[in-house]
Amino acid sequence: MAASLGLHCHHYHVAAAANPLRKAAKQALSSLILKSSKPHHHHSCCYNSDSVGAKEIRSPDLVALEYADLNLSDKISGELGHVRIRQHVNPLSSSFSVPAKVPDWKEVFRDPTLPLMVDIGSGSGRFLIWLAKRNPDSGNYLGLEIRQKLVKRAEFWVKELALTNIHFLFANATISFRQLVLSYPGPLMLVSILCPDPHFKKRHHKRRVVQKTLVDNIISHLVPGGKVFLQSDVLDVALHMRSQFDAASDELQHIEELDPRVPCDSDGWLLDNPLGIRSEREIHAEFEGAKIYRRLYQKRT
């Protein structure tokens, strides 16, 4: 079932070392799906194209290439105005303490009994939209995002693409996750938390989304065999998330324990993204030369 949502646990690969020029241009332009590669330390590069000539490649260009097949409309700016992304939001603020309204799932999804993937901190939504478009009949996708303008833009794109298996909610996951998944008619098969706000200062660590209450709610509502995928380009954040989920080893197993073919480094971090598409932050971070720290857990059956 998890594979039907886009998570293919047996199809990992380790990308070989490659010239950044070839990775950024040839592979991106030919497949539009850039798999994780060894990070490089160049902030830009150039490639030659017969049609456009030499062009400097920056990380936003790679994001556009990775999600090019979505063909998202530019008219969004006219509908909603400029969507400025506020990078840091305090989820403990009283303005985010009201639980999100539980939607009528029959109105949100064409078939509300399908397996559900929840992406906590869905950002722009492109990542989840790509998965939903790729798997239109096998699963539903719910994005929870605390920045309301991003939710409105993502919902605009969903309507524009006429997708009936994806929905975005303006919600504080810490407050709303439990009631949302508890009311969902189908099974919760996959939860992803990808590059959450690091809240670097120690006094702000309590603002981090992965806290014991949320972890407990995720585990208790996952069906047996359901999975949790974690990812961050900040080691301290990755270790924080890992410690929270490792502590539930009586209920969760890391994928490496279940399938030794899954490539991990010596510290137990997955070497590749199993979802078939990189998140926007993942693309930016790898472009800047950062390592991505990943963990994938499965609930014991």
Side-chain angles (χ1 to χ4, degrees), residues 68-143:
D69 63 334
L70 291 179
N71 294 315
L72 298 176
S73 173
D74 291 333
K75 70 180 180 180
I76 184 66
S77 58
E79 297 285 339
L80 294 177
H82 176 64
V83 180
R84 181 181 179 183
I85 300 175
R86 185 178 180 184
Q87 294 295 334
H88 302 290
V89 176
N90 180 8
L92 302 181
S93 169
S94 59
S95 59
F96 299 118
S97 62
V98 179
K101 182 180 178 181
V102 175
D104 183 340
W105 299 112
K106 295 190 297 295
E107 293 183 0
V108 168
F109 299 124
R110 179 177 54 83
D111 181 358
T113 66
L114 290 176
L116 179 68
M117 172 182 178
V118 178
D119 186 33
I120 295 176
S122 52
S124 75
R126 289 184 181 92
F127 164 78
L128 208 60
I129 291 172
W130 188 92
L131 287 174
K133 185 178 179 182
R134 187 182 178 96
N135 306 285
D137 302 314
S138 56
N140 290 327
Y141 299 82
L142 178 64

Side-chain angles (χ1 to χ4, degrees), residues 214-241:
L214 180 61
V215 172
D216 290 345
N217 283 326
I218 289 172
I219 295 172
S220 64
H221 291 94
L222 272 178
V223 296
K227 294 179 174 64
V228 182
F229 179 49
L230 310 174
Q231 179 172 279
S232 179
D233 58 306
V234 179
L235 179 58
D236 179 64
V237 174
L239 288 171
H240 172 80
M241 293 194 294

Side-chain angles (χ1 to χ4, degrees), residues 71-298:
N71 294 315
L72 298 176
S73 173
D74 291 333
K75 70 180 180 180
I76 184 66
S77 58
E79 297 285 339
L80 294 177
H82 176 64
V83 180
R84 181 181 179 183
I85 300 175
R86 185 178 180 184
Q87 294 295 334
H88 302 290
V89 176
N90 180 8
L92 302 181
S93 169
S94 59
S95 59
F96 299 118
S97 62
V98 179
K101 182 180 178 181
V102 175
D104 183 340
W105 299 112
K106 295 190 297 295
E107 293 183 0
V108 168
F109 299 124
R110 179 177 54 83
D111 181 358
T113 66
L114 290 176
L116 179 68
M117 172 182 178
V118 178
D119 186 33
I120 295 176
S122 52
S124 75
R126 289 184 181 92
F127 164 78
L128 208 60
I129 291 172
W130 188 92
L131 287 174
K133 185 178 179 182
R134 187 182 178 96
N135 306 285
D137 302 314
S138 56
N140 290 327
Y141 299 82
L142 178 64
L144 305 182
E145 174 55 50
I146 204 169
R147 293 165 291 183
Q148 193 167 23
K149 276 195 172 183
L150 293 182
V151 173
K152 289 181 178 179
R153 185 176 66 178
E155 276 295 286
F156 177 90
W157 284 334
V158 167
K159 291 177 182 177
E160 185 177 57
L161 295 173
L163 298 174
T164 59
N165 65 331
I166 182 170
H167 185 61
F168 292 90
L169 277 175
F170 169 55
N172 182 343
T174 303
I175 302 294
S176 301
F177 178 86
R178 181 179 181 277
Q179 66 174 7
L180 289 171
V181 298
L182 190 61
S183 66
Y184 181 73
L188 177 63
M189 288 300 304
L190 176 60
V191 176
S192 59
I193 306 176
L194 310 180
C195 301
D197 193 327
H199 293 292
F200 288 108
K201 295 180 180 179
K202 189 173 182 179
R203 69 176 185 273
H204 290 162
H205 284 186
K206 60 186 177 183
R207 298 179 181 179
R208 290 179 174 177
V209 66
V210 176
Q211 305 290 345
K212 188 178 186 304
T213 299
L214 180 61
V215 172
D216 290 345
N217 283 326
I218 289 172
I219 295 172
S220 64
H221 291 94
L222 272 178
V223 296
K227 294 179 174 64
V228 182
F229 179 49
L230 310 174
Q231 179 172 279
S232 179
D233 58 306
V234 179
L235 179 58
D236 179 64
V237 174
L239 288 171
H240 172 80
M241 293 194 294
R242 177 175 177 169
S243 66
Q244 296 278 341
F245 283 92
D246 279 359
S249 59
D250 56 331
E251 297 180 87
L252 297 176
Q253 288 178 283
H254 187 252
I255 197 66
E256 187 181 21
E257 301 174 39
L258 298 168
D259 187 351
R261 296 172 296 172
V262 175
C264 295
D265 67 16
S266 59
D267 294 319
W269 302 109
L270 292 179
L271 295 179
D272 200 13
N273 182 330
L275 291 173
I277 186 77
R278 295 185 297 169
S279 70
E280 291 178 57
R281 177 59 196 166
E282 186 178 357
I283 295 169
H284 290 306
E286 288 191 328
F287 183 77
E288 296 294 329
K291 177 177 178 176
I292 307 298
Y293 303 93
R294 307 179 182 93
R295 295 282 285 178
L296 178 61
Y297 299 88
Q298 179 173 302

